[in-house]
């Protein structure tokens, strides 16, 4: 339990920036990031239409549905579809700015990219989640058709409508996110631990000492402490 608070802080930061979830920066744009793997880097001969592809990152996994011919449908936060219907602009590589603005405004697109652009140099697992949905796996063609029908702009939510919800709906018929479930369970553990109440009081007192006693410092301290106390 003592590592729960740092874990949640890391989860929030990673999920917000999406820098380990999906790397979509063009080479040389920011931070000297490596470019996506060159075409042909992945052996797509072992992929079948309708397969669920997973790309593990540091704390999260990115998901997509293989459509055949080196194409993957996947959900990504993206602000651009809210402003234009120009497919050529939307299909360009998604920058971090577009990603973050998409997360903030809760807009996204289900897009089709090459396997190389989808995986961005990461290792790929194929149908790894099937073991969790033994009797719910839909036909491969049905899964691919579902993904193709959903391509386009869509709403986005970090917890309730992300790339994992998209692929589990397509392949298993129900939108589920085990990453979200794990995150929520961790948050519950923190709320139930009464030490979080003490932590909120100490943070509140520190803000009052540093910023002075005012409604903007006192009210959040009282409210957050009360909520944590009642929920614990």
């Amino acid at each position: 339990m003592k590592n729960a608070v740092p874990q949640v802080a890391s989860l929030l930061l990673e999920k917000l920036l999406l820098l380990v979830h999906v790397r979509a920066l063009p080479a040389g744009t920011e931070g000297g990031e490596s470019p996506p793997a060159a075409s042909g880097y992945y052996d797509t001969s072992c992929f079948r239409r309708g397969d669920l592809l997973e790309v593990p990152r540091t704390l999260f996994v990115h998901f997509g549905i293989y459509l055949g011919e080196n194409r993957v449908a996947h959900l990504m936060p993206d602000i651009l579809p809210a402003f234009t219907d120009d497919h050529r602009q939307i299909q360009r590589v998604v920058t971090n700015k577009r990603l973050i603005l998409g997360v903030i405004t809760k807009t996204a697109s289900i897009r089709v990219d090459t396997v190389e652009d989808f995986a961005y140099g990461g290792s790929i697992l194929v149908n790894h989640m099937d073991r969790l949905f033994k009797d719910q796996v839909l036909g491969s063609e049905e899964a691919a058709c579902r993904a193709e029908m959903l391509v386009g702009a869509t709403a986005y939510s970090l917890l309730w409508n992300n790339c994992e919800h998209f692929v589990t709906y397509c392949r298993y018929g129900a939108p589920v996110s085990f990453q979200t479930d794990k995150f929520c369970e961790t948050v519950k553990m923190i709320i139930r631990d009464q030490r979080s109440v003490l932590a909120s009081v100490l943070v509140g007192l520190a803000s009052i000492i540093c910023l002075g006693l005012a409604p903007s410092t006192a009210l959040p301290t009282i409210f957050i402490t009360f909520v944590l106390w009642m929920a614990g």
Side-chain angles (χ1 to χ4, degrees):
M1 178 62 212
K2 63 180 180 180
N3 295 323
V5 174
Q7 180 184 9
V8 170
S10 297
L11 289 174
L12 284 171
L13 179 61
E14 296 285 357
K15 196 66 173 174
L16 176 62
L17 296 180
L18 297 174
L19 298 181
V20 295
H21 190 166
V22 184
R23 290 302 306 184
L25 280 174
T29 56
E30 296 179 28
E33 291 296 329
S34 301
S39 179
Y41 178 82
Y42 296 97
D43 181 11
T44 60
S45 63
C46 61
F47 300 159
R48 297 292 179 266
R49 180 171 162 83
D51 281 350
L52 191 158
L53 307 185
E54 301 181 33
V55 181
R57 297 300 188 188
T58 305
L59 293 175
F60 289 90
V61 180
H62 188 49
F63 298 86
I65 296 292
Y66 187 65
L67 302 180
E69 300 178 347
N70 199 36
R71 298 175 302 130
V72 181
H74 59 126
L75 188 154
M76 289 182 64
D78 187 3
I79 188 64
L80 199 55
F83 295 99
T84 180
D85 294 327
D86 189 336
H87 179 73
R88 289 178 298 179
Q89 291 189 41
I90 295 174
Q91 195 58 31
R92 292 174 183 171
V93 64
V94 180
T95 63
N96 276 343
K97 184 180 294 185
R98 283 170 58 180
L99 275 168
I100 295 172
L101 289 175
V103 172
I104 294 172
T105 59
K106 298 184 178 181
T107 58
S109 65
I110 296 171
R111 51 188 287 138
V112 178
D113 287 310
T114 65
V115 171
E116 289 76 22
D117 287 341
F118 161 74
Y120 212 89
S123 59
I124 299 178
L125 302 177
V126 183
N127 298 330
H128 189 64
M129 294 180 68
D130 282 5
R131 71 191 192 284
L132 303 175
F133 296 88
K134 295 180 180 179
D135 301 320
Q136 297 177 249
V137 181
L138 303 177
S140 296
E141 184 60 27
E142 181 177 354
C145 288
R146 283 187 174 211
E148 290 171 334
M149 290 178 61
L150 293 173
V151 169
T154 185
Y156 181 78
S157 169
L158 289 171
L159 298 180
W160 318 122
N161 189 39
N162 58 42
C163 62
E164 190 174 4
H165 291 102
F166 164 65
V167 297
T168 51
Y169 168 76
C170 291
R171 187 164 176 85
Y172 310 118
V176 177
S177 174
F178 294 104
Q179 294 180 111
T180 294
D181 293 343
K182 182 179 179 180
F183 173 80
C184 291
E185 284 301 317
T186 303
V187 172
K188 288 180 183 178
M189 288 174 60
I190 293 176
I191 292 175
R192 289 170 180 166
D193 189 338
Q194 291 301 295
R195 286 175 293 182
S196 62
V197 177
L198 177 60
S200 69
V201 171
L202 294 176
V203 171
L205 291 176
S207 66
I208 291 174
I209 293 172
C210 295
L211 302 176
L213 181 60
S216 60
T217 56
L219 291 180
T221 300
I222 295 172
F223 177 75
I224 294 173
T225 302
F226 176 76
V227 171
L228 291 173
W229 175 261
M230 296 304 295

